[in-house]
Amino acid sequence: SAMYQLDIVLKKGNNLAIRDRGGTSDPYVKFKIASKEVFRSKIIHKNLNPVWDERVCLIVDNLQEPLYIKVKLPLLFAVPLDVRLDLQDPHCPDQDLGSLELAVTLFPRSTEDREALRQNLRLSDLHRKSQLGRGIVSIRLIEGRNLIPMDQNGLSDPYVKFKLGPLKYKSKTIPKTLNPQWREQFDLHLYDEEGGILEISVWDKDIGRRDDFIGQCQLDLSKLSREKTHKLELELEEDKGMLVLLVTLTATVAVSISDLSVNLLDDPHERQQIIKRYSPLRWFFNLKDVGIVQVKILRAEGLMAADVTGKSDPFCIAELCNDRLQTHTVYKTLNPEWNKVFTFNVKDIHSVLEITVYDEDRDRSADFLGKVAIPLLNIRNSEQKAYVLKNKELTGPTKGVIFLEADVIFNAVKASLRTFVPPEQKYIEEEAKVSKQMLQQNFNRVKRCVLFLINVGSYINSCFQWESPRRSLCAFLVFVVVVWNFEIYMVPLSLLLLLAWNYFLLGKESREGSVVSVVMDVDSPDSEKKGFLDKLYAVQDVIITVQNALDEVACFGERVKNTFNWSVPFLSWLAITVLCAGSTLIYFIPLRFIVLVWGINKFIKKLRDPYIIENNELLDFLSRVPSDVQLVQYKDLKPETSQSPSKKRRNNPG
C-alpha cells in the first residue's frame, strides 16, 4: 500500500482552559493515529496562550484514518494547509476550551511519487518551509535610570527579566544602586512573523526571601524596522524608572528540522550557494552570521533499557548554545532510527554541539540515556561517525552509541573577529550544587596549576643556585644577551616561538603515534568502596587547604592596603624612603642596566656565599605589615567606666 509523509507544524494555542489553581495551565499536545500516540510536544509552563512552533514528521498509510484531534484533514500533496482547531470536551460540549493552530503538509512516501514531486519543488523552498525561527532580535541592555528604592538603605539590587514567546532571559544583578549599568548583550529568536511583544520586568534581588517587583514595560517589535539598531528609552509603568536598550532585528534564520530526503547541503547547487555566502571575501556582511552547521541524527544502537519491559522510548535533543531541537520518539526499542537533519545558524565557531538521548516517560520527566558534546571545530565534514554516549558530566561512558554525520561551513574571518567578543550566555543553566566530588576535583585542578608554577619557579631558582653549572652558565648568558638587547616586540615574539615549539612537538608526537591524555579526577569503582571516614578526611583536607590559601591571599591584599593606610607609620615611612630611592635610580639609570645588575647579582650570589639563605625582600617587608585580623587582635580595648580601679576603690573603702 502507498505510504505518505505528513508534516505538521504545531504553532500555538489560544485562550486555553484553566486547569491549575493559580489560574493558568501547563499545556502540551499529543497526536494519535489509530489509537497510538505518535508525538508529544514540550510542556509550556503557566501559559494559556502557549507558543510551541514544533515540527513533526509522521508516516501514514491510510489517508482516511483521522489524526486524533477529532478531525479529518482534506490535504493536497505538497500544499501547506493552515488549520485552526477548536478544542472540545465530549462531556462538556458547550464549554470554550480554546484553540490550536497548525500547519499541515502531505507528501508521498514512495520513491516514484517523491521523485515526481521533487521535480516541481525546489529543495530550497522545502527548506524554507521547515524553518522554526523567523529571525533574531539582538538586545543590548545598557542601563537603568531613576529606579524606585526597594531596600531600607534607600537603594535596590536590580536585575531585568525578558520574555519573548517561550524564550526567557535574566540579566545579572547590580547591587546597591538606582541607576544600574548592565552593559549586557543577548539574542532571542523571533517566532512571530510580525516580531511579537517583548515583555520586560525589573526586580530587586533579596537574599532569603522573595524578590521585590520594581516595574515593567512592553516593547512591540513589529513597530521596529529590521536590519537597523534602535536606541530605546523605555519608561516603566507608573513612573518607576527607565531602561535604556539597543535593539536590532535581523532576518537571519536560526534553526530548522527536516527529513533526510529534504537535505539542504546534499544538493550541490544549494551547498555551493552557502559556501559562497560564507566566503572570506564576504566577512563584512552581518558579523554575527558566522556560518551554518548541519547535523544528521541517524540512529543509535545498544541503548540503556529504561522501562521494565527491557526496552526504551528514546528521543534525541540537539543543542547549540540557546538553540534546541528535538526528534520524534521511537517507541519500544534499544536501536532507534531517527534519520533527521538539524540545521543551526552558527554565531560562535567555538560553540559546542550537544546531543542528548532521553527515554520518554509519560508519567514523569524523561530519563537520561546518554550524551555527547562535539566542538564545532572538531567536526569533519560529511564523515559519518559512531559516538560513544557519555554520562551527564561527560566524564565517562554509558551504554550505547549514536551515529551522526555533521557539516560545518563558516567564514573564517568572521569567526576570528567574533573570538574577541564575549561569548553568548545560555539562557537556562543548571544551578550549582554542593558536591564533594566536584570540590575535590576542582581543588586538584588548581593544585596541579599551582604545582606547575612552583616547578617552573624551582627550575629558575636552580639556575641561580648553580646546581648544574652548565645549565646555570647557559641561563646566565641568555639572561645577559636578552636584557642587553631587549625590545618590547620580543614579548609577543617569545610567545610566538613558544606556540611554534609546541606545534612542532605535537606534530612529532602524532607522527610517532603517541596519544595525548588529559588527567581528570573522577570517582572510580574502587573509590566508591572507601569508607565514610576516608571520604570525610579527604573533604576536610580540601577545606583546610582552601581555607589556608584564602587566608594567605586575603592577608597579602590587606597588608598592601595597610602599608598605604599608615596602619604602622614606621613601615609606611620606610616604604616612602625605598620608593623615593627607587624613583631616583630609575630616573637617572636606564631600566635595562638596573635589571642587568639585579640579574647578575642573583646569579653570582651563590658563588660568593655557597651557604646563603634565599629570601624575597618584598615579601619579607609585607610580612611585617599586620593584616586586618591582626590589627583587631592588637587593638587596645577601653575599660568600662563601671569597672575602673578608682571607682572600685571608692566603692570599697575598707
Side-chain angles (χ1 to χ4, degrees):
S1 62
M3 298 290 288
Y4 303 92
Q5 174 180 314
L6 184 63
D7 286 354
I8 303 175
V9 178
L10 174 61
K11 294 183 176 179
K12 60 183 179 180
N14 299 313
N15 301 318
L16 301 185
I18 296 173
R19 288 293 181 264
D20 294 341
R21 294 180 180 177
T24 61
S25 294
D26 302 322
Y28 65 93
V29 178
K30 292 193 295 186
F31 295 162
K32 287 187 179 182
I33 296 180
S35 302
K36 180 182 178 182
E37 182 178 324
V38 292
F39 171 78
R40 180 183 295 201
S41 75
K42 62 186 178 185
I43 299 174
I44 306 296
H45 294 281
K46 294 181 173 51
N47 199 327
L48 299 181
N49 296 282
V51 177
W52 285 283
D53 271 306
E54 291 188 56
R55 187 178 187 275
V56 60
C57 171
L58 305 178
I59 308 303
V60 296
D61 57 3
N62 183 2
L63 294 182
Q64 302 304 313
E65 185 71 45
L67 179 67
Y68 178 70
I69 312 176
K70 298 292 185 182
V71 294
K72 293 183 180 180
L73 305 177
L75 299 172
L76 299 176
F77 283 146
V79 179
L81 177 66
D82 289 328
V83 181
R84 182 186 177 94
L85 304 175
D86 293 324
L87 302 179
Q88 295 179 352
D89 185 346
H91 304 290
C92 303
D94 298 330
Q95 186 177 1
D96 182 12
L97 299 179
S99 62
L100 293 178
E101 293 185 15
L102 303 89
V104 186
T105 311
L106 182 66
F107 295 96
R109 285 291 291 182
S110 66
T111 306
E112 297 81 4
D113 290 341
R114 180 171 289 281
E115 289 301 323
L117 184 63
R118 290 181 69 182
Q119 291 176 3
N120 299 322
L121 295 173
R122 284 188 54 79
L123 189 60
S124 57
D125 293 335
L126 291 178
H127 177 69
R128 280 194 288 271
K129 290 172 185 174
S130 68
Q131 300 302 332
L132 294 183
R134 293 182 172 84
I136 292 176
V137 53
S138 178
I139 301 173
R140 274 179 277 176
L141 174 60
I142 305 300
E143 63 183 4
R145 298 176 185 169
N146 303 320
L147 302 181
I148 61 172
M150 303 299 293
D151 298 337
Q152 294 180 352
N153 57 9
L155 300 172
S156 295
D157 304 315
Y159 65 89
V160 184
K161 289 183 179 180
F162 295 85
K163 185 175 184 298
L164 180 62
L167 299 179
K168 298 179 181 179
Y169 181 82
K170 178 182 175 181
S171 76
K172 60 188 177 185
T173 301
I174 307 297
K176 296 182 175 55
T177 180
L178 299 180
N179 297 282
Q181 298 286 321
W182 283 285
R183 312 289 173 175
E184 204 166 334
Q185 192 274 334
F186 60 96
D187 295 337
L188 296 174
H189 295 309
L190 295 173
Y191 287 88
D192 190 322
E193 291 182 358
E194 299 298 325
I197 302 296
L198 178 65
E199 301 175 14
I200 307 171
S201 58
V202 185
W203 298 77
D204 170 59
K205 182 72 175 178
D206 286 323
I207 299 176
R209 55 193 179 92
R210 289 189 63 180
D211 296 346
D212 297 322
F213 175 74
I214 295 179
Q216 65 181 1
C217 60
Q218 291 186 340
L219 175 61
D220 188 352
L221 299 178
S222 64
K223 296 180 180 179
L224 302 179
S225 57
R226 302 210 170 200
E227 310 301 337
K228 178 183 176 183
T229 300
H230 304 267
K231 182 179 179 181
L232 305 174
E233 296 182 353
L234 303 177
E235 294 278 356
L236 300 181
E237 295 176 0
E238 301 178 3
D239 296 327
K240 294 185 177 180
M242 176 188 292
L243 294 179
V244 179
L245 309 175
L246 295 180
V247 180
T248 308
L249 276 72
T250 62
T252 305
V253 170
V255 293
S256 73
I257 306 175
S258 65
D259 199 63
L260 279 180
S261 57
V262 187
N263 186 359
L264 184 69
L265 294 181
D266 281 354
D267 182 273
H269 175 74
E270 292 290 342
R271 189 182 189 97
Q272 204 59 37
Q273 289 294 322
I274 292 176
I275 292 175
K276 183 178 178 181
R277 175 183 172 186
Y278 295 111
S279 68
L281 297 178
R282 295 176 58 85
W283 65 270
F284 45 85
F285 291 106
N286 192 1
L287 288 177
K288 286 190 176 181
D289 187 16
V290 172
I292 187 175
V293 57
Q294 178 181 276
V295 56
K296 299 177 185 177
I297 301 182
L298 304 173
R299 67 186 189 278
E301 294 180 358
L303 296 179
M304 188 188 310
D307 299 338
V308 292
T309 59
K311 301 289 185 181
S312 293
D313 303 322
F315 65 91
C316 217
I317 290 179
E319 294 179 274
L320 185 68
C321 289
N322 291 300
D323 296 332
R324 189 173 187 270
L325 296 176
Q326 178 177 328
T327 69
H328 60 285
T329 302
V330 181
Y331 293 95
K332 308 300 180 188
T333 181
L334 300 180
N335 304 290
E337 290 192 15
W338 293 289
N339 292 326
K340 287 295 178 184
V341 181
F342 289 174
T343 305
F344 296 94
N345 186 259
V346 177
K347 290 175 283 185
D348 187 351
I349 196 60
H350 307 285
S351 301
V352 177
L353 178 66
E354 296 183 354
I355 310 292
T356 311
V357 184
Y358 292 96
D359 168 68
E360 181 183 297
D361 198 319
R362 302 184 183 184
D363 300 326
R364 49 193 173 90
S365 59
D367 296 323
F368 176 85
L369 296 181
K371 182 177 183 179
V372 293
I374 311 167
L376 296 185
L377 288 173
N378 289 3
I379 291 176
R380 295 185 177 180
N381 286 354
S382 303
E383 179 187 53
Q384 187 179 135
K385 186 175 178 181
Y387 292 88
V388 176
L389 293 174
K390 298 181 179 180
N391 55 24
K392 286 184 179 181
E393 295 77 23
L394 297 170
T395 55
T398 185
K399 194 173 182 183
V401 295
I402 187 169
F403 291 83
L404 308 172
E405 181 181 329
D407 286 87
V408 179
I409 299 174
F410 67 97
N411 184 300
V413 179
K414 290 183 184 180
S416 301
L417 294 175
R418 291 284 296 170
T419 302
F420 297 98
V421 300
E424 181 181 2
Q425 299 297 317
K426 277 203 169 186
Y427 305 148
I428 303 174
E429 294 185 353
E430 293 185 6
E431 294 185 2
K433 298 179 181 178
V434 178
S435 168
K436 180 269 300 181
Q437 177 184 344
M438 187 63 66
L439 179 64
Q440 180 82 47
Q441 178 178 310
N442 291 342
F443 170 74
N444 289 336
R445 289 166 58 198
V446 174
K447 184 178 179 181
R448 282 196 296 272
C449 295
V450 172
L451 287 177
F452 171 77
L453 296 177
I454 291 175
N455 290 335
V456 171
S458 299
Y459 181 83
I460 295 173
N461 190 59
S462 68
C463 296
F464 294 138
Q465 300 297 322
W466 294 82
E467 295 176 2
S468 170
R470 181 181 175 184
R471 185 175 64 194
S472 296
L473 181 61
C474 291
F476 175 74
L477 294 176
V478 169
F479 172 80
V480 172
V481 170
V482 169
V483 172
W484 185 257
N485 299 283
F486 179 78
E487 299 293 341
I488 195 66
Y489 71 84
M490 293 182 179
V491 174
L493 181 62
S494 62
L495 299 177
L496 182 64
L497 292 175
L498 179 61
L499 283 169
W501 175 252
N502 284 333
Y503 181 78
F504 171 75
L505 291 180
L506 188 63
K508 183 179 178 181
E509 289 175 351
S510 62
R511 287 192 297 271
E512 294 174 354
S514 61
V515 179
V516 179
S517 61
V518 179
V519 180
M520 286 293 290
D521 293 310
V522 295
D523 282 349
S524 62
D526 293 336
S527 66
E528 294 178 359
K529 297 178 182 178
K530 288 183 179 179
F532 174 76
L533 288 178
D534 292 336
K535 294 182 179 180
L536 181 62
Y537 291 147
V539 173
Q540 286 179 342
D541 181 54
V542 171
I543 292 175
I544 291 172
T545 306
V546 171
Q547 175 180 295
N548 293 338
L550 292 175
D551 178 62
E552 290 181 8
V553 172
C555 285
F556 180 83
E558 290 170 356
R559 283 170 173 158
V560 172
K561 178 196 71 173
N562 291 335
T563 300
F564 293 92
N565 281 353
W566 293 81
S567 299
V568 181
F570 176 84
L571 292 174
S572 297
W573 280 116
L574 180 58
I576 288 176
T577 304
V578 173
L579 291 173
C580 288
S583 301
T584 305
L585 279 174
I586 295 173
Y587 182 79
F588 288 104
I589 303 174
L591 182 62
R592 188 192 309 273
F593 293 106
I594 295 175
V595 174
L596 199 59
V597 171
W598 172 86
I600 293 174
N601 175 67
K602 196 78 172 173
F603 271 103
I604 66 175
K605 187 185 293 186
K606 192 71 175 180
L607 298 178
R608 294 198 311 265
D609 184 359
Y611 304 107
I612 194 171
I613 299 175
E614 282 294 317
N615 70 309
N616 184 298
E617 291 80 3
L618 177 60
L619 294 181
D620 291 339
F621 172 83
L622 288 176
S623 67
R624 269 63 172 192
V625 182
S627 65
D628 288 354
V629 174
Q630 290 173 322
L631 286 177
V632 172
Q633 293 172 342
Y634 303 157
K635 186 177 181 180
D636 291 335
L637 295 178
K638 294 182 179 180
E640 296 182 12
T641 307
S642 59
Q643 299 299 322
S644 62
S646 58
K647 187 168 183 178
K648 284 185 178 180
R649 283 194 295 270
R650 286 196 300 269
N651 292 339
N652 301 283

